[in-house]
Amino acid sequence: MSVRVPLLDLKAQYETIRDEIRSAVERVLESQNFILGPEVASLECEVAKYSQCKFGIGVSSGTDALLVALMAIGVKTGDEVITTPYSFFATAGVIARMGAVPIFADIEPETFNIDPNKIEPKISSRTRALIPVHLFGRMARMDAIMEVANRHGIRVIEDAAQAIGSECRGHRAGSMGHLGCFSFYPTKNLGGFGDGGMVTTNDEGLADRVRMLRVHGYRTKYRNAAIGGNFRLDEIQAAILRVKLKYLDRWTDARRRNAALYRDLLPAAVSAPEDDPEGRHIYNQFVIRYKRRDELMKWINDRAIGSEIYYPVPLHLQECFNSLGGKRGDFPESERASNETLALPIYPELKKEMLAHVAATIREFEARSR
Ligand SMILES: *Cc1c(COP(=O)(O)O)cnc(C)c1O
């Protein structure tokens, strides 16, 4: 069988909602109101409610959501912020951009998320914040993380860029920390037609600060109380995202169904990600582990099946962080994950036959190389 299976197929999704999207965009075009208008205000309420939060503040990207969150809690030059070395670059990049120092704590091998037991030894008198990442759509162990953070008076910013709608013991991503940060980058589960993001919080004072910092730090026009930036969200993006939000639970169910199918069909030598026994994994990515990952990747890519390595170089080994003194062996689980993991197609529109074809292609590789 020669079937092309992409890692993600946004066109397939667009086909199912084309008319609704076009009329939403049309509405904004007719209004000629492009930035921070009624669509953004409505999206903020809708995403906040969806994420079990009191406040939502629409921003320009997931990266800017993290940056403005650090600004809102007052992170300063020389402060330390603890996070995972196994994430998208932005998680640590924003810390360094604030003049603060990223301090890494290794991950749990089963969940790929920061290990709550490894946080406390990293806390110093300069620790200001903690950024757990809900990687691939599974929530980090927030109960344990909040317990450590609260005991030490440290603020927690959830990097929920990959985790909208995921749950941990009934609590949604973005609702358990002091601030939650979401991305609407097109490949995220709720993706716009360009960049976008959202900060969530249950703290009115923090919401107010983020809202102020989003527009250069003013509450009254041209009277700057703080130094912020341009972190605004466009009306067109908000209008599109509002359409897509209505379908998000359906899409998440389809991703979860696909994950269950993979677990049935993949050979035992491949370790599939476990479903979260205490929560709701939303599978922004379905990431397997396999010892001969590079060979397997070549095998399936040669057969027109999309895959990707998230992430090939852990953050402590990135060239731009050389000055932090990270070296190979510092975070063995993150390094092992970088060498062993591979993301397979899991998108909601992926047909059962296509998924079965991916699994069969992997079984074929396994059988040949045994
Ligand atoms: C996508 C992502 C970001 C950044 O979001 P952008 O909207 O691309 O700026 C941050 N952290 C994680 C874990 C992400 O996956």
Side-chain angles (χ1 to χ4, degrees), residues 60-64 66 87-91 133-135 159-162 182-185 187-188 195-197 284 311:
S60 34
S61 69
T63 304
D64 286 345
L66 290 164
S87 180
F88 179 61
F89 175 74
T91 312
V133 180
H134 308 313
L135 204 67
D159 182 340
Q162 302 182 5
F182 294 90
S183 165
F184 303 131
Y185 185 75
T187 64
K188 305 295 158 93
D195 280 308
N284 176 241
Y311 296 92

Side-chain angles (χ1 to χ4, degrees), residues 64-174:
D64 286 345
L66 290 164
L67 189 64
V68 77
L70 289 172
M71 292 170 95
I73 62 170
V75 167
K76 297 182 308 300
T77 305
D79 285 347
E80 294 178 352
V81 179
I82 298 172
T83 192
T84 164
Y86 190 59
S87 180
F88 179 61
F89 175 74
T91 312
V94 292
I95 298 170
R97 284 171 65 189
M98 294 298 293
V101 184
I103 301 289
F104 298 115
D106 210 358
I107 57 168
E108 302 173 316
E110 306 79 25
T111 66
F112 302 112
N113 288 325
I114 194 165
D115 184 339
N117 298 317
K118 300 209 167 121
I119 292 171
E120 197 147 29
K122 302 284 179 172
I123 294 175
S124 80
S125 59
R126 286 186 299 183
T127 308
R128 278 301 289 267
L130 176 54
I131 309 185
V133 180
H134 308 313
L135 204 67
F136 307 141
R138 176 171 177 166
M139 276 183 77
R141 287 203 284 125
M142 286 302 291
D143 290 342
I145 290 168
M146 292 309 295
E147 192 276 317
V148 181
N150 288 334
R151 198 145 36 78
H152 291 270
I154 296 167
R155 299 290 189 132
V156 176
I157 296 170
E158 291 175 65
D159 182 340
Q162 302 182 5
I164 190 163
S166 71
E167 286 175 17
C168 176
R169 297 182 184 171
H171 298 284
R172 289 233 159 148

Side-chain angles (χ1 to χ4, degrees), residues 254-303:
R255 285 173 182 271
R256 293 182 46 74
R257 217 165 36 237
N258 287 343
L261 274 172
Y262 268 131
R263 278 191 209 96
D264 284 346
L265 297 174
L266 286 170
V270 167
S271 67
E274 60 168 22
D275 202 27
D276 186 346
E278 307 194 297
R280 181 192 194 217
H281 193 326
I282 62 151
Y283 298 99
N284 176 241
Q285 300 294 347
F286 185 83
V287 174
I288 61 166
R289 276 179 193 271
Y290 190 72
K291 287 269 186 253
R292 281 169 296 129
R293 187 267 318 270
D294 294 339
E295 289 167 67
L296 176 64
M297 186 179 188
K298 180 171 182 338
W299 175 269
I300 66 172
N301 285 0
D302 285 349
R303 283 151 186 82

